[in-house]
Amino acid sequence: EEEAKKHAAESEAALKIQCVARQKEAAKVVSQKRESQAAELKRAEEELAAKKAEEEEAKKHAAESEAALKIQSMARQKEAAKVVSQKRESQAAELKRAEEELAAKKAEEEEAKKHASESEAALK
């Protein structure tokens, strides 16, 4: 009977030791899983932060490109306005020369008519 009790106590102790060992193993697995999930979460957060930074950089680059295009467009418009202004000035100068030429020819004609009238009067 004593032997049976001793054997039963030993078996019980062995079962408790096995149970504690299983609990420790389970706790270790849970702890590893938590660490793994935490590492995965950290990686995902870092990836997200990198993507956001990339997106911000892309937006910044796009804004810079847009600004550069606007500057180029404004420079082209200024150049075109300058060309148009030069053309107008050139046409205005040409028109003035033509008007002066016309006025000179009219004056010449008037002088010639006057001279012809004077010559005619002198002949009479």
Side-chain angles (χ1 to χ4, degrees):
E1 208 175 290
E2 287 299 314
E3 191 62 35
K5 279 184 186 177
K6 183 181 169 188
H7 188 67
E10 285 172 359
S11 293
E12 197 177 320
L15 286 174
K16 279 184 182 176
I17 290 169
Q18 282 179 347
C19 184
V20 168
R22 277 197 215 99
Q23 285 174 344
K24 273 188 182 179
E25 191 58 37
K28 189 175 169 184
V29 168
V30 167
S31 174
Q32 287 172 342
K33 227 178 200 172
R34 279 191 188 136
E35 284 172 17
S36 169
Q37 286 175 339
E40 204 174 306
L41 181 61
K42 188 178 179 184
R43 273 195 305 276
E45 286 171 344
E46 286 169 354
E47 246 178 68
L48 182 62
K51 280 183 183 174
K52 277 186 180 177
E54 234 176 77
E55 227 174 78
E56 289 304 312
E57 189 61 32
K59 280 181 187 174
K60 182 182 166 189
H61 188 67
E64 287 170 357
S65 294
E66 194 176 324
L69 288 174
K70 279 182 183 176
I71 289 167
Q72 284 177 344
S73 175
M74 284 165 55
R76 278 194 222 101
Q77 287 173 348
K78 270 187 180 178
E79 192 57 37
K82 191 176 169 183
V83 168
V84 167
S85 175
Q86 288 171 342
K87 236 179 196 171
R88 281 189 188 140
E89 285 172 17
S90 170
Q91 287 174 341
E94 207 174 300
L95 182 61
K96 189 177 178 185
R97 276 193 303 277
E99 286 171 344
E100 286 169 355
E101 268 180 44
L102 184 62
K105 282 182 183 176
K106 276 186 179 178
E108 262 179 50
E109 258 179 45
E110 290 301 314
E111 189 64 33
K113 278 182 187 175
K114 183 181 167 189
H115 189 67
S117 292
E118 285 172 0
S119 295
E120 200 178 305
L123 287 174
K124 282 186 182 177

